[in-house]
Amino acid sequence: MSAPTLAFAAPAKVDGEGLARHVAAVRKLIAAGVAEQRDRGRPVVEAAPEHETATVDEHQRLIFAQAWRNSLVRARHTSYAGWRLDDQALQEDPTDFRLPGGDLPLLDDHQHPAMLRGWLDRLAAGTGKKRHVIGWGGVGSGKSTALIALGNAAVRAGIMTRYVRHGDYLRWTRPDGAPPGMTALQVREFHDRAGLLILDELCGEMDGQATEFARRETADLIDARSASGLPTAFGTNVTFDHVAAVLGSRFASRIGQNALVLEFQAPDRRAPVRWGRS
């Protein structure tokens, strides 16, 4: 018997009673992340200023935007922050982001913007049937850019969204491995409770079977999210069989169930200078 198809619940709203506590907690995390990046001499994306007269919905959008920015800062991906899914996203946020040649940072057709937009619209409406998105393809094929553009649009749609690399998540959940100002438990909670989690570079640089710790932490994260009906967008360079070999067939089956799978076939967009003989 096949498993029942689950529909997404519409994103929850933050009510006025818990707003102040939520704002304070998120601002504390953001401040810790910004301080850490400054200490390391890295570029910092400043938090937006508070607006004392803002409505609950406006505060919620501010909180979500700050949490999203902070996750990109921690991932050292702030240069991706301007990417948009499509013209609709540019109309929703007319800020004039430009790439180094003057082009607008819009996804091209090889990055599946229409499929990602449709999936996100159904998620925001609470009518989605596909629990996860899996973007897979070669190195430099545009997966991370597309997933971050999806995250940008999700935040504007009122969905608490976070980005994290698989390897970073595993490192942060080790004893004494969490970023300054956080505990391993807080790392787990921030990611297993996000309305949309973008888990990039799944199984990155894992050629053999993962350690028991890596298997358990990864499975626990996705099991917790699935139990709450929360979607996850994965980026990976490897196939279903490779994920099964590294993290176990049960895990691969769980994320592949009711997933929207998008293949990225473009050549390496970084256009690296190559050397030596192939």
Side-chain angles (χ1 to χ4, degrees):
M1 181 181 296
S2 61
T5 299
L6 300 180
F8 294 123
K13 298 293 184 181
V14 178
D15 60 27
E17 182 179 352
L19 181 61
R21 182 171 62 254
H22 195 43
V23 171
V26 172
R27 287 191 179 279
K28 182 178 179 180
L29 174 64
I30 292 168
V34 168
E36 176 192 358
Q37 299 304 315
R38 280 208 185 94
D39 290 344
R40 296 184 180 186
R42 292 174 178 162
V44 172
V45 178
E46 297 290 350
E50 293 188 55
H51 299 286
E52 295 181 358
T53 60
T55 65
V56 169
D57 283 348
E58 288 168 340
H59 269 298
Q60 179 174 280
R61 285 193 292 271
L62 172 63
I63 291 166
F64 290 0
Q66 289 176 327
W68 172 243
R69 289 190 195 100
N70 194 58
S71 71
L72 294 181
V73 168
R74 290 189 183 280
R76 301 170 296 283
H77 266 347
T78 54
S79 61
Y80 289 67
W83 281 90
R84 301 291 183 262
L85 278 179
D86 46 30
D87 289 332
Q88 177 181 334
L90 285 176
Q91 292 167 7
E92 291 168 351
D93 182 359
T95 308
D96 186 20
F97 292 102
R98 296 278 174 172
L99 296 176
D103 295 330
L104 289 170
L106 291 173
L107 301 187
D108 61 37
D109 290 342
H110 297 291
Q111 294 170 292
H112 309 289
M115 297 291 287
L116 291 170
R117 169 61 69 182
W119 182 86
L120 176 61
D121 287 347
R122 290 187 291 275
L123 169 61
T127 60
K129 303 296 183 183
K130 301 293 187 182
R131 180 179 299 150
H132 303 307
V133 171
I134 301 173
W136 80 281
V139 172
S141 57
K143 303 181 300 298
S144 294
T145 303
L147 292 177
I148 290 175
L150 172 67
N152 287 333
V155 171
R156 291 185 190 85
I159 301 169
M160 170 62 88
T161 307
R162 297 186 189 279
Y163 174 96
V164 68
R165 294 186 184 93
H166 187 202
D168 286 341
Y169 180 81
L170 294 176
R171 185 171 67 255
W172 292 343
T173 52
R174 289 188 177 278
D176 302 320
M182 295 183 70
T183 66
L185 177 59
Q186 288 173 319
V187 170
R188 294 184 183 98
E189 289 178 344
F190 269 72
H191 293 92
D192 69 30
R193 297 178 183 179
L196 170 61
L197 177 65
I198 296 174
L199 186 63
D200 204 2
E201 299 182 17
L202 181 68
C203 295
E205 301 183 5
M206 293 182 180
D207 295 326
Q209 188 179 74
T211 64
E212 178 60 28
F213 172 84
R215 284 190 167 210
R216 185 182 67 251
E217 287 294 333
T218 307
D220 286 352
L221 170 64
I222 301 307
D223 285 350
R225 294 185 56 75
S226 296
S228 299
L230 297 172
T232 305
F234 300 89
T236 185
N237 297 334
V238 303
T239 63
F240 176 97
D241 289 342
H242 189 117
V243 172
V246 173
L247 294 174
S249 57
R250 176 183 177 277
F251 177 83
S253 176
R254 287 294 298 271
I255 69 172
Q257 180 186 27
N258 293 327
L260 171 64
V261 179
L262 303 175
E263 183 176 1
F264 290 71
Q265 298 180 321
D268 192 340
R269 294 165 185 262
R270 300 184 182 96
V273 177
R274 302 180 183 276
W275 59 92
R277 295 182 178 179
S278 60

